[in-house]
Amino acid sequence: MTSKSVDVLLVGAGAMSTTLGVLLKQLDPSLTIAMVERLDHVASESTDAMNNAGTGHAAYCELNYTSQNEDGSINTEKAFSINAAFETSLQFWSYLVEQGNLPEPHNFINNVPHESFVMGAENVEFLRKRFEALSSKPQFAEMEFSEDPEVLRQWMPLIMQNRDTEEAVAATRVRHGADVNFGALARNMVNYLEQQDGFELLLSHSVEEMSQYSNGDWRVDLKNGHTGKAESLRTKFLFFGAGGGALPLLQMSGIPEGDGYGGFPVSGQWLVCKKPEIVEQHMAKVYGQAPIGAPPMSVPHLDSRVIDGKRALLFGPFAGFTTKFLKQGSALDMPLSMRLSNLKPIMQVGAKNMDLTRYLISEVMQSHGDRVDSLRRFFPDAKDEDWELSYAGQRVQIIKKNVEGEGKLEFGTEVISSADKSLAALLGASPGASTATPTMINVIERCFPERLATPEWQAKMKELVPSYGQSLIEDGSLLRTVRKRTLSTLNLDQNYQS
């Protein structure tokens, strides 16, 4: 068995691990880092372009980020938080572009307006209240609202084409929204890392065992998928950024902080259209409202995508149920993740969410015609033969105990770290890669607090993310300064008025 030592070991080669790797290399170029990926390619699971919506989640169009309170008011807290998080990611990507560490922005990010669309008088009133609550603040000052069908025909021609004008409709629009190819972004980050001293990428390597030494270091045993050869790595810090695969790795580590966590896998499918005569008529990401009983990640949306320079339209996602934790995983993933510590929470969540389970199964059972019928609620003139089915990535939602000790299904993300700061893992899905930068900064704050407190790391962090340590929610002037720079650097400012 070959063996080597590194300062940092990143398991998984998706958006999270690549972001953490680049952040750490920027903060301390002398760090030795290894990245382990069980597949043959970087970013081939949830980070790959066709495995996610590509929406730069800024809460401009996603209605599930603004719930309605019992008194009818709009809860905007999550929207403001997610928007600030995405602005942080934009700052980091802008810095990397300016330094020549990422290619021209159009290779991974493009300007696509973010729009919300609702039907029915009650939903129109909800959207109006949402617009008023958000647009009064600097983060959403550029948002537009209209319930005039003629205006909406300009914003979303396909959606308004041959639509029944008797039904009340309304929409909001933010013109400087983004479409992000997270797969291309992650692969370019790895290209940067591979040009640095002290970095090694190990593809087709799976984690077989791990154990912790008395001094806190970790030993991780690997298997080379091509040769079958066993290898071993010793590391001071271990991070699991493996999407749905993070939970089994966390359980394998044995840290007590991971006890009680379970996973609820949700699969997804898209309808995809690549016909130029249709694709060219829709240049927006238009989000609607989730069907009753649907999980938040199943909010229907008609998306204009730019993938490797080619345009396409995606509609969905259509959720489904599978016991796999990864798209290229095993049907035994969920059963094998069950432990005495999480069995009760998992069973409680299953009992409480039978409607969700039935909904997911019903989604799987739909025919192609059924799916296109759903699309026609958005795009009335859609034809079955213009659309084909594509499979999205797997999402594993968190199951954990609430304060009463009962199982609860979470639809966000959560960083779990060990008490000795030697290990961290990211569980959950939404809003995912869009907030990779602030999420990985949170990992650094938790696990490298002494080094982050040094003047050198503080200065570098503010160079990477100029708003670091300040609030983009509270400081409108700072937000406008930051946004003007990032939108200009990333070529997203064609329709932005500062």
Side-chain angles (χ1 to χ4, degrees):
M1 176 184 291
T2 60
S3 182
K4 62 183 75 173
S5 296
V6 294
D7 295 315
V8 175
L9 176 57
L10 308 169
V11 182
M16 297 298 172
S17 289
T18 56
T19 299
L20 182 57
V22 175
L23 280 168
L24 289 171
K25 265 297 184 184
Q26 287 284 337
L27 290 166
D28 183 356
S30 70
L31 286 173
T32 54
I33 301 176
M35 180 180 288
V36 172
E37 169 58 52
R38 70 185 187 93
L39 300 179
D40 288 336
H41 304 284
V42 170
S44 292
E45 276 282 350
S46 294
T47 302
D48 189 64
M50 289 300 291
N51 288 340
N52 61 71
T55 303
H57 286 296
Y60 293 138
C61 57
E62 306 91 333
L63 299 177
N64 56 306
Y65 295 154
T66 45
S67 58
Q68 193 160 14
N69 299 318
E70 289 185 5
D71 65 0
S73 63
I74 305 299
N75 187 334
T76 58
E77 183 178 351
K78 189 172 185 179
F80 289 128
S81 175
I82 288 174
N83 183 270
F86 185 61
E87 292 286 350
T88 299
S89 291
L90 290 176
Q91 291 176 72
F92 183 49
W93 302 339
S94 295
Y95 174 84
L96 296 176
V97 168
E98 290 166 345
Q99 299 300 310
N101 299 327
L102 284 177
E104 286 295 313
H106 68 81
N107 289 284
F108 65 90
I109 191 168
N110 288 276
N111 178 215
V112 175
H114 284 198
E115 303 173 1
S116 301
F117 175 71
V118 299
M119 297 167 276
E122 185 177 337
N123 294 328
V124 168
E125 185 59 25
F126 162 75
L127 191 64
R128 186 197 313 279
K129 288 182 179 179
R130 179 182 187 270
F131 165 72
E132 291 170 352
L134 292 176
S135 63
S136 63
K137 303 296 184 181
Q139 287 173 274
F140 294 86
E142 299 297 317
M143 181 178 281
E144 304 168 78
F145 171 87
S146 181
E147 51 187 309
D148 182 343
E150 292 304 317
V151 172
L152 300 192
R153 283 190 182 92
Q154 298 174 31
W155 291 5
M156 48 188 78
L158 285 185
I159 288 174
M160 294 303 296
Q161 185 174 302
N162 292 326
R163 179 170 294 280
D164 181 3
T165 55
E166 295 299 312
E167 184 177 34
V169 292
T172 58
R173 175 174 73 164
V174 174
R175 290 188 284 177
H176 58 265
D179 173 64
V180 189
N181 183 336
F182 289 107
L185 177 61
R187 286 186 279 274
N188 280 297
M189 284 190 173
V190 170
N191 289 341
Y192 160 76
L193 287 169
E194 289 192 293
Q195 295 169 25
Q196 311 307 305
D197 293 335
F199 176 81
E200 184 176 12
L201 174 66
L202 299 171
L203 298 175
S204 300
H205 281 69
S206 57
V207 175
E208 300 293 304
E209 299 283 348
M210 66 183 75
S211 58
Q212 191 170 25
Y213 294 102
S214 58
N215 73 342
D217 288 2
W218 288 88
R219 170 182 166 142
V220 180
D221 295 332
L222 309 172
K223 181 180 179 181
N224 186 315
H226 290 310
T227 66
K229 183 179 178 182
E231 302 174 31
S232 174
L233 283 173
R234 180 170 181 152
T235 184
K236 295 181 176 66
F237 176 70
L238 182 56
F239 175 70
F240 303 141
L247 176 61
L249 291 167
L250 181 64
Q251 293 175 329
M252 189 187 296
S253 75
I255 65 168
E257 291 80 4
D259 287 349
Y261 282 87
F264 186 90
V266 179
S267 60
Q269 298 168 319
W270 302 105
L271 287 177
V272 181
C273 176
K274 296 181 180 179
K275 284 194 168 184
E277 61 270 28
I278 298 173
V279 171
E280 296 302 322
Q281 295 183 62
H282 184 83
M283 187 59 176
K285 290 180 176 292
V286 183
Y287 275 59
Q289 291 171 304
I292 295 173
M297 79 291 298
S298 293
V299 172
H301 41 100
L302 183 61
D303 276 15
S304 179
R305 298 296 313 274
V306 184
I307 300 174
D308 300 329
K310 297 179 180 178
R311 293 269 310 276
L313 291 185
L314 270 65
F315 178 77
F318 298 93
F321 181 75
T322 171
T323 54
K324 290 182 178 182
F325 279 176
L326 293 163
K327 188 174 181 178
Q328 300 183 56
S330 165
L332 295 176
D333 287 342
M334 187 178 184
L336 291 176
S337 74
M338 294 183 180
R339 304 283 190 276
L340 287 176
S341 63
N342 68 14
L343 186 58
K344 184 177 178 181
I346 290 173
M347 298 301 289
Q348 289 172 329
V349 164
K352 293 176 186 174
N353 291 274
M354 288 304 297
D355 287 346
L356 173 59
T357 303
R358 281 192 287 268
Y359 169 79
L360 296 176
I361 293 172
S362 70
E363 287 280 281
V364 174
M365 301 301 291
Q366 286 191 97
S367 67
H368 183 68
D370 292 333
R371 295 187 179 96
V372 180
D373 282 343
S374 298
L375 168 60
R376 276 189 275 267
R377 280 284 287 163
F378 256 63
F379 172 20
D381 289 349
K383 295 180 174 60
D384 292 20
E385 62 270 22
D386 293 335
W387 299 79
E388 59 186 42
L389 193 65
S390 175
Y391 287 84
Q394 284 291 106
R395 304 291 184 264
V396 178
Q397 308 305 325
I398 301 168
I399 294 175
K400 59 186 290 189
K401 296 176 183 176
N402 61 18
V403 291
E404 288 82 25
E406 297 179 346
K408 181 183 179 184
L409 186 62
E410 298 274 355
F411 287 103
T413 54
E414 185 170 344
V415 173
I416 298 164
S417 56
S418 61
D420 65 0
K421 306 178 182 65
S422 69
L423 184 150
L426 182 74
L427 300 183
S430 179
S434 295
T435 59
T437 300
T439 304
M440 293 303 98
I441 288 175
N442 178 242
V443 169
I444 293 171
E445 290 172 338
R446 287 181 179 217
C447 299
F448 297 84
E450 295 83 5
R451 297 211 62 188
L452 186 56
T454 63
E456 294 79 12
W457 277 39
Q458 281 290 306
K460 187 64 180 181
M461 189 65 82
K462 288 172 182 174
E463 185 181 341
L464 300 173
V465 179
S467 70
Y468 179 70
Q470 303 171 81
S471 174
L472 293 172
I473 300 173
E474 302 296 332
D475 192 336
S477 177
L478 174 65
L479 170 74
R480 284 186 286 270
T481 300
V482 162
R483 186 173 282 174
K484 184 175 181 180
R485 173 218 173 196
T486 59
L487 296 185
S488 174
T489 302
L490 298 174
N491 299 328
L492 303 175
D493 61 345
Q494 296 94 322
N495 299 303
Y496 179 65
Q497 301 294 323
S498 60

